[in-house]
Amino acid sequence: MKKRTFIKLAGTVGAGMLVAPFVGCGTGKEGGAGNALSGLQPVGFEQAPLGYDFGALAPKIDAETMAIHYGKHHAGYVRKLNKAIRDANGAYDGMSLEALLAGLTEDKIALRNNGGGHYNHTLYWRALTPGGASSPQGAFKAELEATFGSVDAFADAFAAAGSARFGSGWAWLIRNSEGQLEVTSTPNQDNPLMANIVERPGTPILGMDVWEHAYYLNYQNRRKDYIQGFLDLVNWDVVAGNAGA
Ligand code: MN
């Protein structure tokens, strides 16, 4: 079994992007010398650059869906997450997003929805980065086969988790608390790191957004076709890295 069972997303997208300090005291955004507001203006989390063009995933995920999804939906989660953090009056200052999610309880609705929304989408964009392996390879492939019987059986289970999620939510491949790969799903923007909230906690390895906003312009109600398109686009080198393989 792989030792590396807890993957920090921040370690893959750049610490400055995802776990920037919440209180502005010179993160570079204010300029070298800072200014009068730099000690007063919360910085909060930032949306990492997508790293590829909105049209790069077309036709399976169209450019307009990407532009709205990244530029409106994900950006909105980040904006509302930062407001919720400011409203908490310092309770989360300096905390990583992973630690914040892990400690949440069900009543922290704004942090739950928007902290999950930020983490989930960051993982999603990275898994879709064009290039990389078009199917699981090497040690990661072997672990999928050992766990699910075959790569196809894993893909079927993952697709079924996305299809069966009623309403809005996510399908996941996680590494669970026993260190095993597992397919799960969560409603809304819940995330497997939310150990006090989700049924099956673990470390997210691959997340598939099955909210209608992820596919409706291109696929309308055909969620299964979108799921197949998503699986065709996945960069399995990124996913294997998330799995520690
Ligand atoms: Mn989404």
Side-chain angles (χ1 to χ4, degrees), residues 69 73-74 77 117 121 124-125 169-170 189 209-211 213-214:
H69 199 180
H73 292 281
H74 184 185
Y77 295 124
H121 287 87
Y124 178 84
W125 308 130
W170 291 72
Q189 295 295 351
D209 192 342
V210 294
W211 285 56
H213 69 223

Side-chain angles (χ1 to χ4, degrees), residues 116-204:
H118 180 32
Y119 186 106
N120 299 349
H121 287 87
T122 303
L123 192 76
Y124 178 84
W125 308 130
R126 282 193 45 79
L128 294 174
T129 301
S134 59
S135 62
Q137 306 291 321
F140 179 57
K141 179 185 180 190
E143 190 177 3
L144 287 172
E145 290 170 343
T147 306
F148 299 99
S150 67
V151 170
D152 284 348
F154 153 71
D156 288 348
F158 187 81
S163 295
R165 167 52 53 193
F166 180 77
S168 298
W170 291 72
W172 299 100
L173 176 65
I174 66 169
R175 192 175 294 287
N176 64 26
S177 55
E178 291 80 45
Q180 304 291 324
L181 296 180
E182 182 176 334
V183 168
T184 70
S185 93
T186 56
N188 303 315
Q189 295 295 351
D190 286 354
N191 175 291
L193 292 172
M194 299 175 184
N196 302 319
I197 295 175
V198 300
E199 285 180 32
R200 300 296 301 168
T203 303

